[in-house]
Amino acid sequence: SSGINAEWPLRPGGKRKLSTPKNPDVMSLETPSNDQTLDKDYKGMGVVYVGHIPNHFQEKEMRQFFGQFGDILKLRISRSKKTANSKGYSFILYENEEVAKIVANTMNDYILCGRLLKCQYIPMSRVHKDTFKGASRPFKKIDWQGRAKVERNRVKTTEEHQKSIKRLLKKEKERRRKIAALGIDYDFAGYAAVAPKPRTKTTFADEEEMEVAEMEVA
């Protein structure tokens, strides 16, 4: 779509709030209540939605570019929680409502670094209260691949190792069953031949029990 309808309620991440009516096959838009918007605490200020942001435009570049129009109180770029990459749109809170309107009208359809920006003024009565949640906190990229590597290379406990063996044997058994169902006569040693057997604990009887057993034998 070319932009966001100002009459629709916005939630963090640019998602519209949906309500499910009695008929489950129909979805309708619901207007947020006053306690879910920024209308009370941010009167006189203005919010601008900016879409189609260039990939290399981060918070610093956004503040430098859009700060030319007026003072920016808050700015939040929507990002992926997995990769921390920008989703290509953001919300900017200006100190003055009129400045926000000017930015939306001026920068809409403006070509920036080969991208056609889509800007729209959003009334405070339509801005969700959590839109700028965490905007002042720098986004920390989590190394999910590194975490997975550490977890994969971690030394497994005996119980975890036994579970892994059972899982492999179960898969191999299912594979053998499928091969036999196809009418293929194919026998292979597989993992079952080399899989370590679970250790069994050997318990010894007490000395008194041993003496009683010897007396019974005698």
Side-chain angles (χ1 to χ4, degrees):
S1 60
S2 59
I4 289 184
N5 192 331
E7 296 181 356
W8 292 357
L10 295 176
R11 306 191 73 184
K15 296 181 180 179
R16 299 174 179 83
K17 184 178 179 182
L18 297 177
S19 63
T20 306
K22 294 182 180 179
N23 184 359
D25 296 330
V26 179
M27 299 296 290
S28 63
L29 289 168
E30 177 187 348
T31 303
S33 57
N34 293 333
D35 59 344
Q36 292 182 328
T37 64
L38 299 177
D39 196 21
K40 293 182 179 179
D41 301 330
Y42 293 85
K43 283 189 176 180
M45 304 178 189
V47 175
V48 178
Y49 161 84
V50 183
H52 296 183
I53 301 172
N55 294 330
H56 66 277
F57 248 59
Q58 305 300 320
E59 284 80 1
K60 180 181 178 181
E61 290 76 14
M62 289 287 292
R63 283 187 175 275
Q64 289 178 349
F65 187 83
F66 287 93
Q68 302 176 81
F69 296 91
D71 295 333
I72 296 177
L73 299 181
K74 293 184 179 182
L75 185 149
R76 189 176 76 86
I77 296 177
S78 183
R79 294 180 176 276
S80 168
K81 292 183 179 180
K82 284 189 175 182
T83 63
N85 294 332
S86 170
K87 292 183 179 180
Y89 61 91
S90 68
F91 296 92
I92 304 175
L93 176 65
Y94 281 96
E95 187 176 9
N96 189 287
E97 180 181 4
E98 296 302 322
V99 171
K101 292 180 179 178
I102 292 174
V103 172
N105 294 330
T106 305
M107 299 305 299
N108 189 41
D109 291 335
Y110 182 86
I111 298 178
L112 178 65
C113 300
R115 303 294 296 272
L116 187 67
L117 295 182
K118 288 298 177 181
C119 302
Q120 187 165 347
Y121 168 76
I122 309 297
M124 281 297 177
S125 59
R126 299 292 176 180
V127 180
H128 196 274
K129 64 179 181 180
D130 293 335
T131 299
F132 294 99
K133 186 176 181 180
S136 58
R137 183 176 67 250
F139 196 95
K140 182 180 179 181
K141 185 175 181 179
I142 300 175
D143 186 10
W144 297 106
Q145 187 175 6
R147 287 188 177 186
K149 182 179 179 180
V150 172
E151 178 63 23
R152 177 67 65 179
N153 295 334
R154 179 177 60 86
V155 178
K156 295 182 179 180
T157 63
T158 304
E159 293 181 357
E160 291 174 338
H161 188 59
Q162 292 299 328
K163 286 182 179 180
S164 178
I165 292 174
K166 288 181 180 179
R167 186 167 56 252
L168 289 172
L169 293 175
K170 184 178 179 181
K171 288 183 178 179
E172 185 177 284
K173 184 178 180 181
E174 180 65 18
R175 192 178 297 112
R176 291 176 183 272
R177 186 190 65 79
K178 289 182 179 179
I179 292 175
L182 294 173
I184 302 174
D185 185 13
Y186 177 69
D187 189 20
F188 58 98
Y191 187 76
V194 296
K197 296 181 180 180
R199 296 179 180 178
T200 57
K201 293 183 179 179
T202 304
T203 57
F204 297 94
D206 297 336
E207 292 182 2
E208 295 180 359
E209 294 179 356
M210 292 290 292
E211 291 178 359
V212 172
E214 290 177 359
M215 292 176 63
E216 292 177 353
V217 172

